[in-house]
Every structure is written in structure tokens, then in C-alpha cells.
Amino acid sequence: MTETLIPGATPLAQLETLWRERAAARLDPSARDGIARAAALVERAADGEAAVYGVNTGFGKLASVKIAGKDTAQLQRNLILSHCCGVGEALDAASTRLMMALKLLSLGRGASGVRWEICALIEDMLATGVVPVIPAQGSVGASGDLAPLAHMAAVMVGEGEAVFEGETLAGGVALQRAGLTPVVLGPKEGLALINGTQFSTACALGGLFEAMTLVRGAVVTSALSTDAIMGSTAPLHPMIHELRGHQGQIDVAAAMAALMEGSVIRESHREGDTRVQDPYCIRCQPQVTGAALDLIRWAARTLEVEANAVTDNPLVLVEDGAILSGGNFHAEPVGFAADTLAMAISEVGAIAQRRVALMVDPTLSFDLPPFLTPDPGLNSGLMIAEVTAAALMSENKHLAHPCTIDSTPTSANQEDHVSMAAHAAYRLRRMVRNLSVILGVEAICAAQGIEARAPLETSAPLRDAVARLREVVPSLGADRYMAPDLEAAATLMREGALARAAGLELAL
């Protein structure tokens, strides 16, 4: 499958397809003319006497050093090799491919000055499955994601490392096996490849896509938990939420009400229930998850703009006949979006963990058995599953500390304010993994609690969700080795399986 990208107008849904399906990508043919015109302007500048940053000068603090025309190709190659300073584990293949597609989108706007051959090689690498090995650490998100993108560009010139057909190879060997030829970089082309926010944006988009899937799952698990503890649906009344006016809150309350419609468990305690109000983790679910949903939607809009942006430097303004230095490589918008996503992810997990704690506590669960085991004492049931959820909730709270408010000067104080967007975005992967386990534990606990209410039944949508869970996690009787159950439930959450089973639709 190959996605055709329209620079400046590629929607989030198409980017998510690229990320999830690892699809190939090509620029719309309409982009070629603009790319060629910008490349011609750069070529003229390279042949001229005037110093033009990144075309015939050094870089960063060395921008005042003029480079002879005969050395421009070596200048660009040296730039790539010297900037390959990434460390740490390799970025996953899906995010690496998305990063490459985002670089295509940026170059395709016709303001970077690269030749069409540069774009064509990225397209061919995506089509044949040559995936550069991108160390995940080393960018401060200021003059672009220099180190990560340099590792991508290194493969394009026949250096570095890449994965091809499941094997990690030298970059040149990977290209050769795929039937591709390394490029010789022209003026500005190396700089255009490594300047930009594509690493940070790809990681943030991956976090966004997973966070949205998990928020949908959280709506399902929260409805399951409400029925498991025989909670009230009165706080879901639409007028409560209309009176406040936040769209995420309104949407979550409506979704939960629809999921619980027809629950026999709910109907069984409308009369005679001595409880006046449920704890906040039940009563305030729309307010918390809905607020998180609003933040996710805001981050989505920001990242969609960034994905379509030109973020290298200098920019080639064809209509003005000018090549101008600016600061679009500064990843502050991406950092803010990633920090916002981190807060949302953390809070969805925090309130879910409180629902888990509620269900395993016999003093709060409205007569569910202690730790949800039918034979407490001899069996510990879900006691330590709840502890695991608490540990991951706490970890996410620490990880949610904003990264963008940090800055450290680099490049001999030329780059004296940086965004830290790269690790703001990269840590989201760990956070969504933690959240999937928290919600998986909640699903296991809630299903166990609902089954303890038999012969009373929950609603049809929630029964379908429980049935889907039971395909991979059996009901808990006597104690058993629990780790595979937690992993299986977390996988369902990451895949969005329970939300699909329940028929939940909640738009980004």
C-alpha cells in the first residue's frame, strides 16, 4: 500500500495509516515543480559570490566561514557524518518510517532547495523497506532534530546502518540489496535533511495515536468499573455536562451513558441504595477523562500543522528570489503538544488506578469479595495486580513532568534556547505502555466484579467487551501466574479491542 502525500494538506488520518500500517509514501506529482524551482535557486546561490548560510558557508557558530564552490559536496557530506552523534536504543520502525514520510512532506513544500532525487530516494527507501537505524537520544529539539535526522541521511549517502529484510546492515549495503543507489549531496541538501522537527513530531504523533486509542478504552473500562461497584449513572445526565460546556466532558459522559444503557445491574439498585454519592473516581469520570480528551484534541491540531510544516533552515522563498534564515526548526510547538499529551496520559491512568483500588477494597466496593477472589485468604486474587497499576501510575506521574520548560544552551551559545521536544515526545511511548497496563488491570478487575454480580447482568455493549477480554484472560478462580494475563489485557487496550467490541465511537 502506498499513500500519496499532498504537502501542506496531509490529514492526521493519513499519517496514522502510515504509522500503523507501515505504508509506503510518495509525494503528489504536483509537488515536483516547486521542488525544482527551489533547487534551481539554491544552485544559483551556490555559484554566486555572496555568502548564503548552509549553501556556501559553515554551520552554526561557523556560519561566517566561506566555503569554496568545489567543496560544497564535501561540506554537505561532512555535515551529515559529523552530526551522527545519536546514542541509546533505536527508534521503532513504525516511528522511523513516519519520520521519513514527514521529511518528505516538509521537502515537498518547495522551500528547502533540494533536488527531486533526494525526495525520490526517501520514497524508494520507504517502498523497499530500508529503515535507517535511528538512535533515540541526542536531540534537544532546537536546530532541528539534528542527530536523529543525520542518522537517516547517513544511510542515504551510503553510511550509517539500516534494517533491511529483518537484518541490520551497513547503510550502503542495505541500499544495494534493495536495488538503490546512494546520493551525492548538492548544495544545502544535507542541511535540509537534518534541519527540522520530524523526529520529535513522529514520536509525538505515535504518542497521540496510542493515547487516543487508550482514552477510548478508558471510557469502556470506566463504565465497566461503575457497574462492577454498582455505581450511579445519575452523574452522566447530559444537562450536568451541558451546563459546564467542555466538549470532551460532554462526549465522554454521553459515551458512558450509552455503554451502560440497559444494564440490569444498574437498574437493580436504583431504589434502596443507602449510598448518596460515589467517590470521585466514579462520579467525576467525564470531568477527568473528558478534560484529557480535550487536551489530546488540541495536541492533535498542533501536530497536524507541524506535520505539514517546513521546518528546516534557511528557507528558499522562490517567489521572492531569496534564501532567508529563520527559526522554524525550533520545536517548541511539538514540545508543548508532547507535554500536554503526557499530562493527559498521566491523569487518565491516575483516575483509572483509583477505580482499581476501589474494586479490590471490600470496604469500598459495595460487597465485592476482597481483592476480587472467590476464596480470599487462601488466594490473594488481584491484590498485586492493583499494586502494579499503582507503580505504573506513579511512574507516569514522574514522566509527565514538563520537558519544554527546560533549556540548555548548545553550539557555543549560538543555540541558546532549546525546546527539549525530542525527549518530551519520545517518553510518550513509555507512558502509553504504562497506561495500557493500568487500563488492562482495570478491565480484568471490572470484569471479575461484574461476574460476581451474577445473575444480574451488565449492558449488552459491556457484555461484549467482557466477552472479548475473556477470549484471552479467563475468569480468576484460584490464584495463578498473572503476568501473561496483564500483558494480554494491556495488548487488547493498545489495539483498541474492547472499545471496538463495545461499539464505542469517540472521534479525535
Side-chain angles (χ1 to χ4, degrees):
M1 182 171 77
T2 301
E3 293 287 325
T4 299
L5 308 180
I6 300 177
T10 295
L12 275 178
Q14 193 172 19
L15 297 173
E16 185 168 5
T17 297
L18 286 170
W19 180 74
R20 291 192 184 279
E21 305 297 330
R22 302 189 187 187
R26 290 195 176 275
L27 290 174
D28 189 270
S30 63
R32 292 192 67 155
D33 180 62
I35 291 171
R37 292 170 65 199
L41 183 56
V42 168
E43 189 66 34
R44 289 195 297 273
D47 293 336
E49 293 299 319
V52 180
Y53 175 69
V55 176
N56 53 15
T57 72
F59 308 102
K61 200 75 169 181
L62 301 175
S64 59
V65 179
K66 184 77 159 53
I67 307 298
K70 65 182 179 62
D71 293 327
T72 53
Q74 189 63 48
L75 171 71
Q76 297 299 316
R77 185 177 179 86
N78 287 349
L79 175 69
I80 299 304
L81 299 180
S82 68
H83 282 57
C84 287
C85 293
V87 298
E89 66 180 9
L91 185 64
D92 63 283
S95 298
T96 301
R97 291 177 62 88
L98 180 57
M99 181 186 80
M100 295 166 70
L102 294 178
K103 178 54 76 175
L104 264 183
L105 275 177
S106 183
L107 299 178
R109 294 287 296 273
S112 298
V114 303
R115 295 164 296 153
W116 176 256
E117 288 87 338
I118 299 297
C119 299
L121 181 55
I122 297 175
E123 291 178 345
D124 291 342
M125 289 168 67
L126 288 169
T128 58
V130 177
V131 181
V133 175
I134 310 295
Q137 293 172 281
S139 173
V140 295
S143 189
D145 292 315
L146 294 172
L149 288 167
H151 283 275
M152 178 196 77
V155 176
M156 297 175 66
V157 300
E159 300 287 348
E161 289 186 319
V163 176
F164 180 67
E165 295 183 342
E167 187 177 357
T168 300
L169 305 165
V173 174
L175 290 178
Q176 182 182 36
R177 290 195 185 178
L180 305 177
T181 303
V183 293
V184 176
L185 296 172
K188 192 187 175 296
E189 289 180 338
L191 187 59
L193 286 170
I194 69 171
N195 249 195
T197 65
Q198 286 77 36
F199 172 85
S200 298
T201 305
C203 292
L205 283 169
L208 168 73
F209 300 144
E210 291 202 276
M212 191 59 203
T213 297
L214 291 174
V215 163
R216 294 186 184 103
V219 173
V220 175
T221 58
S222 62
L224 287 167
S225 296
T226 300
D227 238 8
I229 64 105
M230 288 189 156
S232 174
T233 55
L236 302 178
H237 193 289
M239 279 307 301
I240 293 175
H241 308 286
E242 293 289 346
L243 284 168
R244 197 173 199 186
H246 294 297
Q247 191 60 51
Q249 178 179 329
I250 292 167
D251 292 347
V252 169
M256 288 185 65
L259 287 171
M260 298 185 69
E261 180 67 29
S263 167
V264 179
I265 295 174
R266 172 65 187 113
E267 296 305 318
S268 71
H269 63 97
R270 283 191 183 273
E271 303 293 333
D273 193 331
T274 58
R275 296 170 296 175
V276 177
Q277 293 180 326
D278 293 315
Y280 286 4
C281 68
I282 298 295
R283 194 183 350 147
C284 299
Q285 290 170 97
Q287 287 80 0
V288 176
T289 306
L293 176 58
D294 281 336
L295 291 183
I296 291 169
R297 286 169 169 167
W298 174 83
R301 302 288 82 77
T302 297
L303 294 175
E304 185 174 48
V305 170
E306 188 73 9
N308 284 281
V310 184
T311 56
D312 66 291
N313 182 64
L315 295 181
V316 182
L317 308 181
V318 175
E319 300 303 323
D320 293 344
I323 301 175
L324 299 180
S325 289
N328 280 2
F329 49 67
H330 198 296
E332 196 85 352
V334 183
F336 280 146
D339 281 345
T340 299
L341 286 169
M343 287 192 296
I345 291 165
S346 179
E347 281 297 271
V348 170
I351 194 169
Q353 192 278 331
R354 296 316 305 154
R355 295 191 296 264
V356 172
L358 189 70
M359 287 185 283
V360 299
D361 186 344
T363 64
L364 298 173
S365 64
F366 204 56
D367 299 326
L368 290 177
F371 303 105
L372 297 165
T373 175
D375 189 9
L378 178 62
N379 295 289
S380 295
L382 293 164
M383 178 188 295
I384 304 305
E386 186 265 332
V387 173
T388 297
L392 298 183
M393 173 197 69
S394 182
E395 185 176 307
N396 271 3
K397 287 179 179 179
H398 290 286
L399 288 170
H401 181 82
C403 299
T404 313
I405 59 173
D406 185 24
S407 177
T408 185
T410 59
S411 194
N413 279 306
Q414 178 76 2
E415 299 162 6
D416 59 353
H417 182 276
V418 300
S419 72
M420 298 300 180
H423 64 265
Y426 188 68
R427 52 93 191 256
L428 297 177
R429 186 181 183 194
R430 183 173 167 187
M431 292 187 71
V432 293
R433 163 71 189 179
N434 288 346
L435 178 57
S436 73
V437 177
I438 295 169
L439 295 176
V441 170
E442 183 183 13
I444 291 171
C445 290
Q448 193 80 2
I450 282 173
E451 289 169 347
R453 301 296 182 188
L456 301 177
E457 288 189 328
T458 189
S459 66
L462 295 182
R463 288 199 303 272
D464 289 340
V466 172
R468 181 67 183 91
L469 176 69
R470 289 292 175 244
E471 292 176 12
V472 295
V473 181
S475 298
L476 184 63
D479 284 351
R480 63 174 184 258
Y481 188 69
M482 289 296 298
D485 292 335
L486 269 59
E487 180 56 39
T491 299
L492 288 183
M493 301 311 303
R494 290 193 295 273
E495 293 174 348
L498 295 194
R500 285 195 302 274
L504 174 66
E505 295 183 6
L506 192 61
L508 182 62

